[in-house]
């Protein structure tokens, strides 16, 4: 199926006042349209009924369960119809609670996790947790706001070492994106709101009229948002292995389909759900009937270079597990699942329509040619559309480029100083 034309319909409906006490109201509309539509009468069950010359009587309004819902109650057809409706309603009553995510456990609330680090209070009342790295911002030559990847936090290891930051004279502030770690969830989160959060974080910390931004993997969405919504505040921007949205309008249908089909089947379905039925994301990624998103299940599609990085990081497994738990301490829905809904939903802009407001060439994009998480063929097309971005395609490197100490040091230095250095794998 063409990745740009997945047309999947999902709907729930309404039956009767009695049923409304059993089934949650948002599920109440399609059962009525279902039984009154020709499509329902064309199902195998009703085709069989017609084949047996049963007389289907006119429908009646939904008033009470004892009313005939599909047929008159004194007919065998009516009994069959009632059985079908009861089964439908029972299924909806059982399924609906499973679709609803539990409320987030807000940090600092009476029943929520404790707050362990500094936070700012945003204009809308939310809190944003952050961590400072490098030299003091008062003396820094470069000031950077960093957006972490999917399932990560402000403690992400992709940030350059203290030694490198001191060498560069750089100050970096990383933050827990909304819903992650100790930053308050934002149920109305969009690409724009996170960019504005980054701007407000920079302002409250006094970073000055212009600052740099960097985003890795899913954090790249935040950088695209900054380039669209606050370009006048940016001294430069870096996107490292940024995740693409297969539904960006500028992607040719055949190319997005090709890239989409490189994903695992379970991930293709997870992305379909995130794009077309975001209300189903929680259930889809927590049910046990069939495989869900591979990254969430801990079994992503990894290239040989990425497997090498993982093997070298095995000694830090316990620490990494603690950070994963920290990332979702308020719940998986407003962190991981919200990321999927926002990142793969409909954007208010197409990154490939961005204009070049950085004639000094201070915008960079790095991508490994062995990245099996984000197909490099799509990144190459993005750069064809945006030739003003400095593109660095790294040979024999996968998606975990920022978890290779040697490579991340070179990326940080090239980004801030503009001086290109040869990357030597760790």
């Amino acid at each position: 199926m063409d990745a740009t034309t997945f047309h999947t319909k999902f709907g729930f409906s309404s039956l009767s006042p009695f049923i409304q006490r059993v089934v949650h109201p948002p599920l109440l509309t399609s059962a009525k349209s279902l039984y009154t539509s020709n499509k329902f009468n064309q199902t195998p069950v009703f085709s069989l009924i017609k084949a047996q010359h049963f007389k289907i009587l006119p429908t009646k309004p939904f008033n009470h369960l004892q009313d005939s819902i599909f047929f008159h109650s004194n007919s065998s057809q009516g009994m069959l119809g009632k059985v079908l409706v009861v089964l439908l309603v029972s299924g909806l009553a059982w399924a609906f609670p499973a679709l609803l995510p539990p409320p987030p456990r807000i940090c600092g609330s009476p029943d929520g996790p404790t707050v362990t680090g500094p936070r700012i209070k945003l204009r809308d009342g939310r809190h944003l947790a952050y961590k400072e790295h490098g030299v003091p911002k008062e003396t820094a030559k470069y000031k950077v706001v960093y957006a972490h990847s999917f399932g990560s936090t402000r403690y992400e290891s992709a940030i350059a070492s203290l030694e490198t930051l001191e060498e560069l004279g750089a100050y970096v502030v990383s933050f827990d994106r909304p819903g992650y770690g100790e930053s308050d969830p934002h149920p109305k989160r969009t690409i724009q709101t996170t960019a504005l959060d980054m701007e407000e974080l920079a302002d409250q910390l006094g970073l000055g009229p212009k600052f740099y931004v960097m985003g890795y993997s899913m954090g790249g969405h935040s950088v695209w948002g900054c380039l669209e919504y606050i370009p006048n505040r940016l001294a430069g921007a870096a996107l490292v292995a940024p995740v693409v949205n297969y539904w960006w309008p500028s992607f040719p249908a055949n190319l997005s389909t090709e890239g989409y089909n490189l994903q695992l089947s379970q991930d293709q379905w997870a992305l379909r759900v995130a794009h077309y039925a975001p209300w189903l994301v929680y259930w889809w990624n927590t049910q046990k009937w069939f495989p869900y998103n591979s990254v969430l299940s801990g079994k992503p599609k990894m290239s040989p270079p990425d497997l090498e990085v993982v093997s070298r990081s095995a000694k830090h497994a316990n620490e990494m597990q603690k950070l994963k738990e920290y990332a979702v301490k308020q719940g998986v829905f407003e962190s991981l699942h919200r990321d999927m809904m926002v990142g793969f939903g409909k954007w208010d802009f197409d990154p490939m329509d961005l204009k070049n407001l950085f004639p000094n060439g201070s915008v960079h994009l790095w991508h490994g040619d062995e990245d099996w998480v984000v197909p490099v063929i799509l990144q190459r097309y993005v750069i064809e559309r945006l030739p003003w971005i400095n593109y660095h395609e790294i040979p024999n490197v996968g998606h975990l480029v920022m978890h290779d100490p040697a490579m991340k040091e070179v990326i940080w230095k090239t980004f801030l100083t503009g001086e290109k250095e040869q990357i030597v794998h760790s």
Side-chain angles (χ1 to χ4, degrees), residues 222-295:
S222 302
V223 174
W224 286 123
C226 289
L227 290 169
E228 169 70 11
Y229 297 110
I230 58 168
N232 60 308
R233 300 298 309 276
L234 304 182
L239 301 113
V240 185
V243 173
V244 299
N245 183 323
Y246 296 92
W247 290 270
W248 285 341
S250 292
F251 276 138
N254 63 325
L255 184 65
S256 59
T257 300
E258 181 183 353
Y260 191 88
N261 288 337
L262 292 174
Q263 302 297 304
L264 296 174
S265 177
Q266 66 196 82
D267 291 337
Q268 293 180 31
W269 276 103
L271 297 183
R272 284 190 189 103
V273 170
H275 186 79
Y276 292 109
W279 52 269
L280 198 60
V281 165
Y282 174 75
W283 174 83
W284 188 272
N285 290 291
T286 55
Q287 52 74 36
K288 307 299 182 184
W289 295 349
F290 42 80
Y292 52 94
N293 179 271
S294 66
V295 177

Side-chain angles (χ1 to χ4, degrees), residues 159-227:
I159 298 170
S161 66
L162 177 60
E163 180 182 4
T164 298
L165 294 178
E166 289 179 339
E167 176 188 339
L168 293 170
Y171 163 90
V172 178
V173 58
S174 55
F175 67 103
D176 293 336
R177 293 193 285 111
Y180 280 101
E182 295 177 359
S183 288
D184 291 341
H186 191 3
K188 295 183 179 180
R189 173 155 61 110
T190 64
I191 301 298
Q192 181 180 25
T193 62
T194 302
L196 298 180
D197 286 351
M198 294 171 71
E199 179 183 36
E200 189 170 354
L201 175 63
D203 288 341
Q204 289 203 32
L205 295 179
L207 302 192
K210 286 186 179 291
F211 50 90
Y212 294 82
V213 293
M214 176 185 278
Y216 168 45
S217 189
M218 206 73 165
H221 289 175
S222 302
V223 174
W224 286 123
C226 289
L227 290 169

Side-chain angles (χ1 to χ4, degrees), residues 9-31:
K9 294 184 179 179
F10 298 88
F12 292 103
S13 49
S14 107
L15 297 176
S16 71
F18 172 79
I19 291 171
Q20 290 178 27
R21 294 196 296 269
V22 180
V23 184
H24 195 276
L27 299 180
L28 304 172
T29 310
S30 65

